[in-house]
Amino acid sequence: MMQTYALGIDVGGTNTAFGLVSRRGEIIEKGTLPTNTWATVQDFVHAIALRLQPLVDSVGHNNIVGIGVGAPNGNFYTGEIAFAPNLPWKGVIPLARLLQDAVHLPCTLTNDANAAAIGEMAYGIAKGMADFLVVTLGTGLGSGFVANGKILYGHDGFAGELGHVIAVRGGRVCGCGRKGCLETYCSATGLVRTAREWLLQRTDETELRAIPPDELKAHHIQQAAANGDALALEMYDYTARILGETLADVVALTSPQAIIFFGGMAKAGDLLLAPTRRYMEANMLNIFANKVTFHASALPDADAAILGASALVW
Amino acid sequence: MMQTYALGIDVGGTNTAFGLVSRRGEIIEKGTLPTNTWATVQDFVHAIALRLQPLVDSVGHNNIVGIGVGAPNGNFYTGEIAFAPNLPWKGVIPLARLLQDAVHLPCTLTNDANAAAIGEMAYGIAKGMADFLVVTLGTGLGSGFVANGKILYGHDGFAGELGHVIAVRGGRVCGCGRKGCLETYCSATGLVRTAREWLLQRTDETELRAIPPDELKAHHIQQAAANGDALALEMYDYTARILGETLADVVALTSPQAIIFFGGMAKAGDLLLAPTRRYMEANMLNIFANKVTFHASALPDADAAILGASALVW
């Protein structure tokens, strides 16, 4: 059987990971390169093409079906990245076409959360599931919805912007220019904003006061909560309440079988997911009560994004 | 060509409408019977079977493909009506099976909003659209989502409960037992609740004070607004703001091409839809701005529900 490999590329704000993946989901070889050190996207594409060449040569060009790319604000229909706030290239970038021309392989692109959902369907917890969603909890909050066994792209290819549902009307200013978006509360950045606000407004004792506010990161709060720090635990509870309330609404609209959490903050595991689930159930419409399962992604950490991107190709 | 007819049944809280429909969407014959005067659902099914028999005989049993039913809380997967607050029969009712046994034709059932969406796809504004939603504005608020050209049923068959998204956290008590559901604000019942609250709380002059509060209906408020009554217009504006804000979130999640409004309150036309659209755009994430079209259903009024239900069969 020919063409049993795919290239998977996960474009992140800081680094880009790539790999050669077999149809069974084995990563044969992989690597990374910086995303944000290139003057133009052409330079970036040139650099990644040079890095992909040895992988292509190792199994032969004819044995590779194509390239799958997950990227922030990536659009499946157009193959373009549109106005991604966390990438160095502004405006609309025809990344799929540029990669296709450089590597001489067909290239399919989607946003990173959809790539994660495809990865879960192909190789992860969502195998055999027709209706579920993946929530990516990292710097921001992304989501990929699967309905009737297919990614829900919507008319424009931009469906799944759960991070920009208004969770708190008139709330925190968001990078999108509006106020109260879910990701301004429920993401690594959101958690840090909660901490900085509360450390100013409140007088509770907490080990977080030992860290200069400008240097405070989500992992400090996670560590403090793991140590039993009451204020840090309350920050997680606050984050979980807003996320759980919003997910109850999402369930009412889409009736998923499962919600799968992916990315840095999902690694906090029960610290975040247990109270999120509790708040979701407390706000759930009766016909959906205690039906939707909750999972942290079980795909091997560094590989999940590459697997998800490569799975676009099949 | 054989089997070119379908029976369509729209089960409402007060009345049930039925009709014999050709594949082209012509209603050959139709009728209604009361829903809520029968002691048991078996009596109801017996009564409707008697009324359907002449329609079946008129074209011949073998020329009818089946029966399509739209009903509140109807579940496509199970053919059951589950805990419908506005129907006289409590618990879980296997209506599709009962009708099938009584009429000896295969029966497919879904909720009334999904039936409306199918009707719009088959015979209405949504012909050729793959991603859109129908919002039914009547006593309650329902919705039917179409994604990738198919009704979004979700894992349980209950997707599309837009009426029970929490629009105002901690807001009005809803029949579902929770607080702040969209339909407690944005529906005929919701509009009347707004009016009763405001007439008590405020002192503005309004022609609505001439009507005893217990007798106040949505059509009174619509008439007052059409007459230019300032408070009635403000009630529509308030309703439109909450609906528009929520629809902006729905667009961020599902990226529809169009939103089609259906049912009694949609007939208020620009009185409600124009400000709703304005508020939706004012709250829209930039990538979706000015893309989603707004429509009032153009299907002939009394026939739309029958057409939608019958279209389930094809």
Tab-separated table of all heavy atoms in Angstrom, chain B residues 50-102:
chain	number	residue	atom	x	y	z
B	50	LEU	N	-58.112	8.683	12.599
B	50	LEU	CA	-59.417	8.777	11.920
B	50	LEU	C	-59.441	9.939	10.931
B	50	LEU	O	-60.001	9.844	9.839
B	50	LEU	CB	-60.538	8.961	12.946
B	50	LEU	CG	-60.952	7.723	13.741
B	50	LEU	CD1	-62.016	8.085	14.786
B	50	LEU	CD2	-61.483	6.638	12.791
B	51	ARG	N	-58.789	11.066	11.318
B	51	ARG	CA	-58.770	12.239	10.439
B	51	ARG	C	-57.813	12.052	9.260
B	51	ARG	O	-58.020	12.649	8.192
B	51	ARG	CB	-58.361	13.492	11.246
B	51	ARG	CG	-59.349	13.893	12.356
B	51	ARG	CD	-60.645	14.448	11.788
B	51	ARG	NE	-60.434	15.590	10.931
B	51	ARG	CZ	-60.240	16.843	11.365
B	51	ARG	NH1	-60.258	17.110	12.659
B	51	ARG	NH2	-60.057	17.830	10.517
B	52	LEU	N	-56.766	11.261	9.472
B	52	LEU	CA	-55.795	11.053	8.381
B	52	LEU	C	-56.312	10.070	7.329
B	52	LEU	O	-55.908	10.129	6.165
B	52	LEU	CB	-54.450	10.536	8.939
B	52	LEU	CG	-53.638	11.520	9.796
B	52	LEU	CD1	-52.408	10.816	10.375
B	52	LEU	CD2	-53.191	12.748	8.978
B	53	GLN	N	-57.206	9.156	7.741
B	53	GLN	CA	-57.629	8.077	6.850
B	53	GLN	C	-58.152	8.575	5.497
B	53	GLN	O	-57.724	8.066	4.454
B	53	GLN	CB	-58.669	7.193	7.550
B	53	GLN	CG	-58.826	5.816	6.905
B	53	GLN	CD	-57.497	5.062	6.817
B	53	GLN	OE1	-56.799	4.903	7.818
B	53	GLN	NE2	-57.124	4.622	5.616
B	54	PRO	N	-59.038	9.587	5.477
B	54	PRO	CA	-59.519	10.066	4.164
B	54	PRO	C	-58.387	10.608	3.284
B	54	PRO	O	-58.415	10.439	2.058
B	54	PRO	CB	-60.489	11.196	4.526
B	54	PRO	CG	-60.803	11.025	5.979
B	54	PRO	CD	-59.692	10.275	6.601
B	55	LEU	N	-57.377	11.229	3.891
B	55	LEU	CA	-56.235	11.740	3.119
B	55	LEU	C	-55.454	10.570	2.520
B	55	LEU	O	-55.019	10.615	1.359
B	55	LEU	CB	-55.302	12.573	4.016
B	55	LEU	CG	-55.689	14.028	4.283
B	55	LEU	CD1	-57.022	14.162	5.002
B	55	LEU	CD2	-54.590	14.758	5.050
B	56	VAL	N	-55.281	9.524	3.329
B	56	VAL	CA	-54.565	8.331	2.858
B	56	VAL	C	-55.343	7.701	1.699
B	56	VAL	O	-54.767	7.366	0.658
B	56	VAL	CB	-54.385	7.315	4.009
B	56	VAL	CG1	-53.787	6.009	3.497
B	56	VAL	CG2	-53.504	7.916	5.117
B	57	ASP	N	-56.657	7.571	1.891
B	57	ASP	CA	-57.494	6.941	0.859
B	57	ASP	C	-57.494	7.740	-0.441
B	57	ASP	O	-57.568	7.168	-1.535
B	57	ASP	CB	-58.935	6.788	1.363
B	57	ASP	CG	-59.022	5.802	2.532
B	57	ASP	OD1	-58.067	5.002	2.692
B	57	ASP	OD2	-60.018	5.842	3.270
B	58	SER	N	-57.374	9.067	-0.330
B	58	SER	CA	-57.508	9.918	-1.525
B	58	SER	C	-56.391	9.665	-2.537
B	58	SER	O	-56.600	9.821	-3.731
B	58	SER	CB	-57.543	11.397	-1.125
B	58	SER	OG	-56.265	11.819	-0.661
B	59	VAL	N	-55.183	9.313	-2.080
B	59	VAL	CA	-54.086	9.052	-3.026
B	59	VAL	C	-53.642	7.596	-2.988
B	59	VAL	O	-52.855	7.156	-3.837
B	59	VAL	CB	-52.863	9.968	-2.761
B	59	VAL	CG1	-53.244	11.419	-3.033
B	59	VAL	CG2	-52.321	9.797	-1.357
B	60	GLY	N	-54.148	6.837	-2.026
B	60	GLY	CA	-53.764	5.434	-1.908
B	60	GLY	C	-52.607	5.253	-0.936
B	60	GLY	O	-51.596	5.967	-1.018
B	61	HIS	N	-52.753	4.297	-0.059
B	61	HIS	CA	-51.762	4.010	0.979
B	61	HIS	C	-50.366	3.807	0.396
B	61	HIS	O	-49.359	4.274	0.930
B	61	HIS	CB	-52.233	2.767	1.754
B	61	HIS	CG	-51.470	2.487	2.997
B	61	HIS	ND1	-50.285	1.801	3.001
B	61	HIS	CD2	-51.702	2.828	4.288
B	61	HIS	CE1	-49.829	1.693	4.240
B	61	HIS	NE2	-50.675	2.322	5.043
B	62	ASN	N	-50.295	3.119	-0.743
B	62	ASN	CA	-48.995	2.793	-1.331
B	62	ASN	C	-48.278	3.982	-1.935
B	62	ASN	O	-47.098	3.896	-2.266
B	62	ASN	CB	-49.170	1.728	-2.414
B	62	ASN	CG	-49.508	0.386	-1.808
B	62	ASN	OD1	-49.211	0.150	-0.632
B	62	ASN	ND2	-50.148	-0.467	-2.598
B	63	ASN	N	-48.991	5.070	-2.111
B	63	ASN	CA	-48.362	6.259	-2.685
B	63	ASN	C	-47.850	7.233	-1.626
B	63	ASN	O	-47.397	8.323	-1.959
B	63	ASN	CB	-49.346	6.979	-3.604
B	63	ASN	CG	-49.578	6.192	-4.874
B	63	ASN	OD1	-48.627	5.633	-5.426
B	63	ASN	ND2	-50.824	6.120	-5.316
B	64	ILE	N	-47.951	6.839	-0.351
B	64	ILE	CA	-47.479	7.712	0.733
B	64	ILE	C	-46.219	7.111	1.339
B	64	ILE	O	-46.200	5.935	1.739
B	64	ILE	CB	-48.562	7.886	1.808
B	64	ILE	CG1	-49.806	8.519	1.171
B	64	ILE	CG2	-48.040	8.746	2.956
B	64	ILE	CD1	-50.953	8.736	2.130
B	65	VAL	N	-45.148	7.894	1.354
B	65	VAL	CA	-43.857	7.396	1.846
B	65	VAL	C	-43.880	7.224	3.356
B	65	VAL	O	-43.326	6.265	3.897
B	65	VAL	CB	-42.719	8.354	1.446
B	65	VAL	CG1	-41.379	7.797	1.884
B	65	VAL	CG2	-42.729	8.587	-0.052
B	66	GLY	N	-44.510	8.151	4.059
B	66	GLY	CA	-44.521	8.045	5.514
B	66	GLY	C	-45.095	9.300	6.150
B	66	GLY	O	-45.606	10.190	5.464
B	67	ILE	N	-44.979	9.321	7.473
B	67	ILE	CA	-45.495	10.427	8.276
B	67	ILE	C	-44.316	11.155	8.915
B	67	ILE	O	-43.441	10.521	9.511
B	67	ILE	CB	-46.405	9.906	9.419
B	67	ILE	CG1	-47.470	8.937	8.882
B	67	ILE	CG2	-47.032	11.055	10.195
B	67	ILE	CD1	-48.228	8.196	10.002
B	68	GLY	N	-44.294	12.480	8.798
B	68	GLY	CA	-43.308	13.284	9.516
B	68	GLY	C	-44.015	14.097	10.580
B	68	GLY	O	-45.061	14.684	10.311
B	69	VAL	N	-43.456	14.109	11.780
B	69	VAL	CA	-44.084	14.804	12.900
B	69	VAL	C	-43.108	15.792	13.519
B	69	VAL	O	-41.960	15.440	13.820
B	69	VAL	CB	-44.531	13.807	14.007
B	69	VAL	CG1	-45.249	14.548	15.133
B	69	VAL	CG2	-45.406	12.719	13.439
B	70	GLY	N	-43.553	17.029	13.702
B	70	GLY	CA	-42.820	18.006	14.507
B	70	GLY	C	-43.574	18.188	15.812
B	70	GLY	O	-44.784	18.402	15.801
B	71	ALA	N	-42.865	18.082	16.941
B	71	ALA	CA	-43.528	18.199	18.245
B	71	ALA	C	-42.568	18.811	19.252
B	71	ALA	O	-41.355	18.578	19.169
B	71	ALA	CB	-43.981	16.823	18.731
B	72	PRO	N	-43.068	19.570	20.210
B	72	PRO	CA	-42.192	20.114	21.248
B	72	PRO	C	-41.454	18.987	21.966
B	72	PRO	O	-42.079	17.962	22.280
B	72	PRO	CB	-43.152	20.819	22.221
B	72	PRO	CG	-44.477	20.862	21.568
B	72	PRO	CD	-44.488	19.882	20.442
B	73	ASN	N	-40.161	19.153	22.204
B	73	ASN	CA	-39.327	18.144	22.877
B	73	ASN	C	-39.305	16.801	22.150
B	73	ASN	O	-39.023	15.773	22.762
B	73	ASN	CB	-39.770	17.920	24.335
B	73	ASN	CG	-39.461	19.113	25.215
B	73	ASN	OD1	-39.650	20.263	24.794
B	73	ASN	ND2	-38.989	18.862	26.417
B	74	GLY	N	-39.610	16.800	20.860
B	74	GLY	CA	-39.549	15.570	20.084
B	74	GLY	C	-38.109	15.154	19.845
B	74	GLY	O	-37.250	15.997	19.607
B	75	ASN	N	-37.845	13.872	19.916
B	75	ASN	CA	-36.483	13.362	19.753
B	75	ASN	C	-36.396	12.487	18.501
B	75	ASN	O	-37.041	11.445	18.406
B	75	ASN	CB	-36.055	12.582	20.996
B	75	ASN	CG	-34.585	12.208	20.958
B	75	ASN	OD1	-34.124	11.594	20.007
B	75	ASN	ND2	-33.853	12.600	21.986
B	76	PHE	N	-35.589	12.919	17.550
B	76	PHE	CA	-35.436	12.230	16.272
B	76	PHE	C	-34.930	10.802	16.451
B	76	PHE	O	-35.356	9.888	15.758
B	76	PHE	CB	-34.463	13.030	15.401
B	76	PHE	CG	-34.125	12.403	14.091
B	76	PHE	CD1	-35.043	12.400	13.057
B	76	PHE	CD2	-32.892	11.820	13.882
B	76	PHE	CE1	-34.726	11.834	11.827
B	76	PHE	CE2	-32.567	11.247	12.653
B	76	PHE	CZ	-33.495	11.262	11.631
B	77	TYR	N	-33.990	10.619	17.380
B	77	TYR	CA	-33.372	9.302	17.552
B	77	TYR	C	-34.351	8.274	18.110
B	77	TYR	O	-34.325	7.104	17.736
B	77	TYR	CB	-32.155	9.380	18.474
B	77	TYR	CG	-30.995	10.145	17.903
B	77	TYR	CD1	-30.158	10.891	18.728
B	77	TYR	CD2	-30.707	10.110	16.543
B	77	TYR	CE1	-29.080	11.589	18.215
B	77	TYR	CE2	-29.635	10.802	16.019
B	77	TYR	CZ	-28.817	11.542	16.865
B	77	TYR	OH	-27.753	12.232	16.360
B	78	THR	N	-35.199	8.693	19.055
B	78	THR	CA	-36.048	7.734	19.762
B	78	THR	C	-37.495	7.759	19.275
B	78	THR	O	-38.265	6.845	19.586
B	78	THR	CB	-36.066	8.039	21.272
B	78	THR	OG1	-36.668	9.334	21.466
B	78	THR	CG2	-34.661	8.044	21.852
B	79	GLY	N	-37.896	8.812	18.554
B	79	GLY	CA	-39.290	8.954	18.159
B	79	GLY	C	-40.211	9.299	19.311
B	79	GLY	O	-41.430	9.207	19.190
B	80	GLU	N	-39.600	9.726	20.412
B	80	GLU	CA	-40.387	10.023	21.613
B	80	GLU	C	-40.474	11.524	21.878
B	80	GLU	O	-39.611	12.293	21.478
B	80	GLU	CB	-39.733	9.359	22.841
B	80	GLU	CG	-39.717	7.852	22.772
B	80	GLU	CD	-38.776	7.225	23.810
B	80	GLU	OE1	-37.927	7.943	24.373
B	80	GLU	OE2	-38.892	6.021	24.032
B	81	ILE	N	-41.536	11.894	22.590
B	81	ILE	CA	-41.634	13.238	23.157
B	81	ILE	C	-41.263	13.099	24.633
B	81	ILE	O	-41.833	12.276	25.341
B	81	ILE	CB	-43.053	13.804	23.019
B	81	ILE	CG1	-43.418	13.960	21.539
B	81	ILE	CG2	-43.187	15.118	23.762
B	81	ILE	CD1	-44.855	14.395	21.313
B	82	ALA	N	-40.292	13.897	25.072
B	82	ALA	CA	-39.784	13.729	26.443
B	82	ALA	C	-40.084	14.968	27.280
B	82	ALA	O	-39.555	16.042	27.018
B	82	ALA	CB	-38.276	13.461	26.418
B	83	PHE	N	-40.945	14.815	28.263
B	83	PHE	CA	-41.182	15.848	29.277
B	83	PHE	C	-41.495	17.204	28.661
B	83	PHE	O	-40.833	18.200	28.951
B	83	PHE	CB	-39.959	15.977	30.196
B	83	PHE	CG	-39.511	14.670	30.774
B	83	PHE	CD1	-38.374	14.031	30.271
B	83	PHE	CD2	-40.223	14.057	31.790
B	83	PHE	CE1	-37.957	12.818	30.797
B	83	PHE	CE2	-39.809	12.836	32.324
B	83	PHE	CZ	-38.667	12.222	31.827
B	84	ALA	N	-42.476	17.261	27.782
B	84	ALA	CA	-42.822	18.528	27.132
B	84	ALA	C	-43.720	19.346	28.059
B	84	ALA	O	-44.845	18.934	28.346
B	84	ALA	CB	-43.518	18.258	25.815
B	85	PRO	N	-43.253	20.498	28.523
B	85	PRO	CA	-44.038	21.258	29.506
B	85	PRO	C	-45.362	21.776	28.946
B	85	PRO	O	-46.300	21.981	29.715
B	85	PRO	CB	-43.107	22.412	29.893
B	85	PRO	CG	-42.062	22.467	28.845
B	85	PRO	CD	-41.972	21.121	28.225
B	86	ASN	N	-45.440	21.979	27.606
B	86	ASN	CA	-46.653	22.569	27.042
B	86	ASN	C	-47.626	21.558	26.451
B	86	ASN	O	-48.583	21.918	25.789
B	86	ASN	CB	-46.279	23.597	25.965
B	86	ASN	CG	-45.430	24.714	26.541
B	86	ASN	OD1	-45.685	25.184	27.643
B	86	ASN	ND2	-44.401	25.114	25.804
B	87	LEU	N	-47.373	20.264	26.665
B	87	LEU	CA	-48.299	19.237	26.170
B	87	LEU	C	-49.022	18.581	27.340
B	87	LEU	O	-48.493	18.528	28.451
B	87	LEU	CB	-47.533	18.182	25.364
B	87	LEU	CG	-46.938	18.639	24.031
B	87	LEU	CD1	-46.266	17.483	23.326
B	87	LEU	CD2	-48.010	19.260	23.132
B	88	PRO	N	-50.242	18.050	27.086
B	88	PRO	CA	-51.022	17.485	28.198
B	88	PRO	C	-50.466	16.159	28.719
B	88	PRO	O	-50.816	15.743	29.810
B	88	PRO	CB	-52.413	17.290	27.594
B	88	PRO	CG	-52.224	17.290	26.122
B	88	PRO	CD	-51.009	18.098	25.832
B	89	TRP	N	-49.594	15.467	27.919
B	89	TRP	CA	-49.138	14.130	28.307
B	89	TRP	C	-47.787	14.233	28.979
B	89	TRP	O	-46.842	14.798	28.432
B	89	TRP	CB	-49.044	13.242	27.074
B	89	TRP	CG	-50.192	13.495	26.158
B	89	TRP	CD1	-51.524	13.388	26.456
B	89	TRP	CD2	-50.119	13.963	24.806
B	89	TRP	NE1	-52.281	13.738	25.383
B	89	TRP	CE2	-51.444	14.094	24.349
B	89	TRP	CE3	-49.076	14.262	23.937
B	89	TRP	CZ2	-51.741	14.530	23.064
B	89	TRP	CZ3	-49.364	14.686	22.669
B	89	TRP	CH2	-50.688	14.816	22.245
B	90	LYS	N	-47.672	13.668	30.155
B	90	LYS	CA	-46.446	13.797	30.948
B	90	LYS	C	-45.493	12.638	30.660
B	90	LYS	O	-45.873	11.619	30.098
B	90	LYS	CB	-46.801	13.852	32.442
B	90	LYS	CG	-47.685	15.060	32.801
B	90	LYS	CD	-47.092	16.372	32.274
B	90	LYS	CE	-48.112	17.501	32.166
B	90	LYS	NZ	-47.703	18.550	31.219
B	91	GLY	N	-44.275	12.795	31.063
B	91	GLY	CA	-43.277	11.728	30.929
B	91	GLY	C	-42.826	11.560	29.490
B	91	GLY	O	-42.818	12.514	28.711
B	92	VAL	N	-42.459	10.337	29.144
B	92	VAL	CA	-41.916	10.030	27.815
B	92	VAL	C	-42.995	9.333	26.979
B	92	VAL	O	-43.511	8.290	27.362
B	92	VAL	CB	-40.665	9.133	27.943
B	92	VAL	CG1	-40.159	8.732	26.562
B	92	VAL	CG2	-39.568	9.869	28.720
B	93	ILE	N	-43.323	9.941	25.838
B	93	ILE	CA	-44.424	9.468	24.996
B	93	ILE	C	-43.854	8.932	23.681
B	93	ILE	O	-43.263	9.688	22.911
B	93	ILE	CB	-45.373	10.649	24.667
B	93	ILE	CG1	-45.887	11.304	25.943
B	93	ILE	CG2	-46.502	10.201	23.756
B	93	ILE	CD1	-46.785	10.433	26.772
B	94	PRO	N	-44.047	7.641	23.379
B	94	PRO	CA	-43.496	7.077	22.126
B	94	PRO	C	-44.410	7.383	20.938
B	94	PRO	O	-44.967	6.476	20.315
B	94	PRO	CB	-43.439	5.570	22.424
B	94	PRO	CG	-44.564	5.345	23.380
B	94	PRO	CD	-44.739	6.616	24.190
B	95	LEU	N	-44.542	8.659	20.617
B	95	LEU	CA	-45.557	9.081	19.642
B	95	LEU	C	-45.334	8.485	18.253
B	95	LEU	O	-46.290	8.108	17.571
B	95	LEU	CB	-45.616	10.614	19.564
B	95	LEU	CG	-46.752	11.154	18.698
B	95	LEU	CD1	-48.114	10.775	19.277
B	95	LEU	CD2	-46.660	12.678	18.562
B	96	ALA	N	-44.072	8.406	17.803
B	96	ALA	CA	-43.810	7.882	16.452
B	96	ALA	C	-44.307	6.444	16.339
B	96	ALA	O	-44.950	6.079	15.356
B	96	ALA	CB	-42.315	7.967	16.129
B	97	ARG	N	-44.026	5.630	17.348
B	97	ARG	CA	-44.455	4.236	17.310
B	97	ARG	C	-45.984	4.136	17.342
B	97	ARG	O	-46.591	3.361	16.595
B	97	ARG	CB	-43.845	3.459	18.483
B	97	ARG	CG	-44.124	1.952	18.434
B	97	ARG	CD	-43.403	1.172	19.521
B	97	ARG	NE	-43.678	1.649	20.864
B	97	ARG	CZ	-44.827	1.472	21.532
B	97	ARG	NH1	-45.831	0.856	20.943
B	97	ARG	NH2	-44.973	1.928	22.761
B	98	LEU	N	-46.629	4.931	18.198
B	98	LEU	CA	-48.093	4.895	18.302
B	98	LEU	C	-48.745	5.268	16.974
B	98	LEU	O	-49.703	4.617	16.525
B	98	LEU	CB	-48.563	5.850	19.414
B	98	LEU	CG	-48.155	5.478	20.846
B	98	LEU	CD1	-48.522	6.598	21.827
B	98	LEU	CD2	-48.820	4.165	21.272
B	99	LEU	N	-48.201	6.315	16.305
B	99	LEU	CA	-48.769	6.747	15.029
B	99	LEU	C	-48.537	5.705	13.947
B	99	LEU	O	-49.416	5.434	13.111
B	99	LEU	CB	-48.164	8.086	14.602
B	99	LEU	CG	-48.795	9.322	15.250
B	99	LEU	CD1	-47.910	10.549	15.051
B	99	LEU	CD2	-50.194	9.591	14.664
B	100	GLN	N	-47.346	5.126	13.953
B	100	GLN	CA	-46.984	4.105	12.985
B	100	GLN	C	-47.940	2.915	13.089
B	100	GLN	O	-48.437	2.400	12.080
B	100	GLN	CB	-45.552	3.667	13.289
B	100	GLN	CG	-44.857	2.928	12.193
B	100	GLN	CD	-43.339	3.003	12.385
B	100	GLN	OE1	-42.796	4.085	12.631
B	100	GLN	NE2	-42.680	1.879	12.282
B	101	ASP	N	-48.217	2.485	14.317
B	101	ASP	CA	-49.120	1.353	14.534
B	101	ASP	C	-50.549	1.699	14.121
B	101	ASP	O	-51.275	0.840	13.610
B	101	ASP	CB	-49.110	0.938	16.016
B	101	ASP	CG	-47.780	0.323	16.425
B	101	ASP	OD1	-46.948	0.067	15.524
B	101	ASP	OD2	-47.552	0.136	17.628
B	102	ALA	N	-50.943	2.962	14.333
B	102	ALA	CA	-52.335	3.333	14.056
B	102	ALA	C	-52.577	3.576	12.575
B	102	ALA	O	-53.647	3.265	12.050
B	102	ALA	CB	-52.709	4.585	14.856
